[in-house]
Structures are given as structure tokens and as C-alpha cells.
Amino acid sequence: MNPTLARLQRLLVMVPWLLDHPGVHVEEVAERFDVAPGDVLDDLDVLGYCGLPGYGGGDLIEVSISGDRVAVRMAEFFARPLALSVREGLALLMAARATRDSGILAEGHGPLESAIDKLTDHLGGPAGLPVVLDIDAGGSDLLRRLMPAVADQRVVRITYRSASKEETTVREVEPWALRSTGGAWYLQGYCRMAEDARAFRLDRIRDLVVSDERAPDPPDEPPRPPVYEPTDADPVVVIDVGPESAWITDHVVLSDREQLADGRLRLTFRAATLEWAASLLVRLGANATVVTPDALRDVVRARVEDVLVNYGQG
């Protein structure tokens, strides 16, 4: 893990603990957080520069070291109960219930049940407050199977359907992490076929086999979120869309947006492949017009013809 991130995570836990244990020995702090005493002193040195905005004498956290004993003051804001808004509380409740119902936790998760009951009561709802979540939509069965594979660093073989290339491939992956973003779960790791890091959406994995082969250790730096990042090698796409199709701007990385005289939008963006761009344009239907490249028109036309044939209209 990145050393700076590790220190931040440690300090967020260490400060409330130090507030509850004034005058604790440095050695005890080091043992409690499984770090060297020198690292504790370095953490405390950084802590002295932290506090509330204003950063004056009464705003910074005060750290006192006398001999080998440590005391922390002026950090009471860490100890105050977290005040959640109704929106935040409901989001937390839904996430907790989804985690409980997904089956990915070990048996006997009493503390989670207790937290759910307390949160429900705090929100003013009955104990049976209905929260309906389609947890299978994100590949929860695969998630349950992949979690131990990632933890044990077992190479997995997946049959994967690529949405951008419209092809199905079988790949061996050295798993690094599982990440949820944008409402979908991803497996991140080293793909032996691509010979590079890749992210695979769980709901596009058609088959999974967990092998007995142990994968190499993952990189120290955590993998980046599995989102598309345009490169200079990706094709540039320019399209015109009507106001009713402005939602597309949330699904592409725009490099230019122009309001046309007739009320339509001219959007410029890069796409991983023309096939992916064509899939998006088929969804837009008559509300979109391809300006450039010409090759995209051919791909869209072929995609529409395939759809018509499948529906017996070709």
C-alpha cells in the first residue's frame, strides 16, 4: 500500500484511540498498531500539523510527548458522534442490508445486524422497513467465488464478453482486487493474454474457474479505478444529438461540446473502439447523427442491419 495512504488510515484510527488512552507509552501504541516506535513518533510529528480550517493555535491538534508517554488534545472533533443526513443514513442502511443479504460474509454477523437495527431506529422506521435491492445484477455469485480467490492470490480463468469489441475470450488473470464503481463490480488484475493490467466487469464474465496456481504478489500501488481513460490512439468521434439525448454526456469523456443553432448538441469525444461507439449510437436511434468518422457510419449501419435480421425485418 502507498505509505502516505497507510499513514492516513492509521492516524484516523489512532487519534480516537489516543484520546481514550491519555499518557499511553509509545511502545504500547506501536504494539497496538503493529508499527515500529519510530513510525509512531513520525506519525505524531505529522499529527501536530493537522486540525480544523484556520490552522491557528487553537485549531491544530496538540500532541504532547513526555519521556515515552503520549497525550493528544484539541482533537475532540474526532471523538464526536458522526451526524448523518437522512440521505446518508438511508444509503448506509441499504449498503448494510445488501452486504448482509449478499451472502459474502461469514456466518454469524451479529454486529452488522445490530448496526442495521440501530440505524433503522435512528431513521425513525420500523424494524422491517422494506429495502429492495437487486444484488444479483452485479454478479454477486461470482463475487462470492472471487473473494477467496483474490485473498489467496489464486490465478483464475474467465470466459469474458467484451462490450466494446463484441467478442468472447478465455483469459487467465492474476487477481489483484475487487472494486465496486458506477453500480458494477470489477475484477482487477494482470491479464496474461493482454500482458497488461485489466479490469473485468463481473456481469460480463460468462464462466469462472479458480485454479490452484498461486499468482505473484500484486503491485504495491493500488490499481486505479476501472474507468475508461482516453488515449491519443483512440478514434475521435463527433456526433450531433437532440436535447432529449443529452444523457449521453454522462457516458463519454467529452473533449468538446457545442450548442448548434437548431438546438442540437455537437459532441466530440474519444472512444475505445468504433464498435463501442456504434453500440451507443444504436441506443440513440434517430436522435443522433454521425459527423465523423465515416468508418463509424459503416459500423453503425452494419449493427442496425444485424438487429433487423435478428428481428426478422432484414
Side-chain angles (χ1 to χ4, degrees):
M1 178 182 291
N2 182 287
T4 302
L5 179 60
R7 169 171 287 174
L8 174 61
Q9 292 178 343
R10 188 165 61 245
L11 282 173
L12 289 174
V13 180
M14 184 185 294
V15 172
W17 189 83
L18 289 174
L19 286 171
D20 289 337
H21 299 80
V24 66
H25 290 275
V26 172
E27 290 284 351
E28 186 177 346
V29 180
E31 182 179 353
R32 175 67 177 79
F33 293 96
D34 194 26
V35 294
D39 291 332
V40 172
L41 295 176
D42 289 341
D43 289 348
L44 295 175
D45 183 59
V46 171
L47 193 59
Y49 296 94
C50 302
L52 295 173
Y55 307 109
D59 302 313
L60 296 176
I61 296 175
E62 183 179 313
V63 179
S64 173
I65 302 178
S66 177
D68 65 343
R69 292 181 177 272
V70 180
V72 171
R73 296 180 60 252
M74 301 298 294
E76 286 73 15
F77 47 86
F78 277 95
R80 286 199 295 266
L82 181 63
L84 297 174
S85 67
V86 174
R87 179 190 294 270
E88 292 169 336
L90 285 172
L92 183 59
L93 176 62
M94 293 174 68
R97 287 190 173 182
T99 301
R100 178 197 62 189
D101 297 339
S102 68
I104 62 177
L105 295 180
E107 293 295 329
H109 35 273
L112 180 59
E113 289 285 0
S114 176
I116 289 174
D117 291 342
K118 291 178 180 178
L119 187 56
T120 302
D121 181 66
H122 180 72
L123 290 171
L129 181 68
V131 177
V132 180
L133 295 171
D134 184 7
I135 59 174
D136 287 329
S140 60
D141 179 62
L142 287 172
L143 183 63
R144 284 190 287 267
R145 296 172 60 192
L146 280 168
M147 288 183 71
V150 173
D152 297 338
Q153 295 179 231
R154 300 297 179 186
V155 175
V156 298
R157 185 171 70 250
I158 62 174
T159 302
Y160 189 73
R161 178 67 175 175
S162 171
S164 61
K165 297 182 179 179
E166 292 291 329
E167 64 180 13
T168 301
T169 55
V170 178
R171 302 163 179 256
E172 288 189 345
V173 180
E174 300 171 6
W176 293 343
L178 290 163
R179 185 189 294 261
S180 176
T181 183
W185 279 96
Y186 291 82
L187 168 66
Q188 293 181 276
Y190 179 81
C191 175
R192 291 178 174 176
M193 187 179 83
E195 298 184 341
D196 199 0
R198 288 291 186 271
F200 302 96
R201 273 185 61 145
L202 266 58
D203 56 3
R204 294 178 186 152
I205 295 178
R206 300 294 181 256
D207 188 46
L208 167 70
V209 176
V210 180
S211 75
D212 293 329
E213 180 185 355
R214 183 175 176 83
D217 291 337
D220 293 333
E221 290 291 329
R224 293 179 299 177
V227 295
Y228 169 65
E229 295 183 355
T231 69
D232 292 340
D234 295 337
V236 176
V237 174
V238 182
I239 62 173
D240 293 344
V241 300
E244 64 276 14
S245 298
W247 57 265
I248 190 180
T249 59
D250 294 329
H251 297 265
V252 296
V253 182
L254 291 177
S255 56
D256 190 43
R257 171 176 175 155
E258 178 185 356
Q259 183 76 50
L260 302 179
D262 61 359
R264 290 161 66 84
L265 294 174
R266 175 157 293 178
L267 307 176
T268 303
F269 58 92
R270 290 187 182 272
T273 64
L274 292 182
E275 288 76 13
W276 179 86
S279 298
L280 193 60
L281 288 166
V282 168
R283 292 172 58 191
L284 293 173
N287 291 323
T289 303
V290 176
V291 178
T292 187
D294 292 338
L296 179 56
R297 296 191 185 93
D298 297 333
V299 178
V300 172
R301 187 179 299 110
R303 182 66 59 84
V304 172
E305 289 174 353
D306 287 343
V307 172
L308 293 176
V309 168
N310 290 335
Y311 279 88
Q313 299 179 24

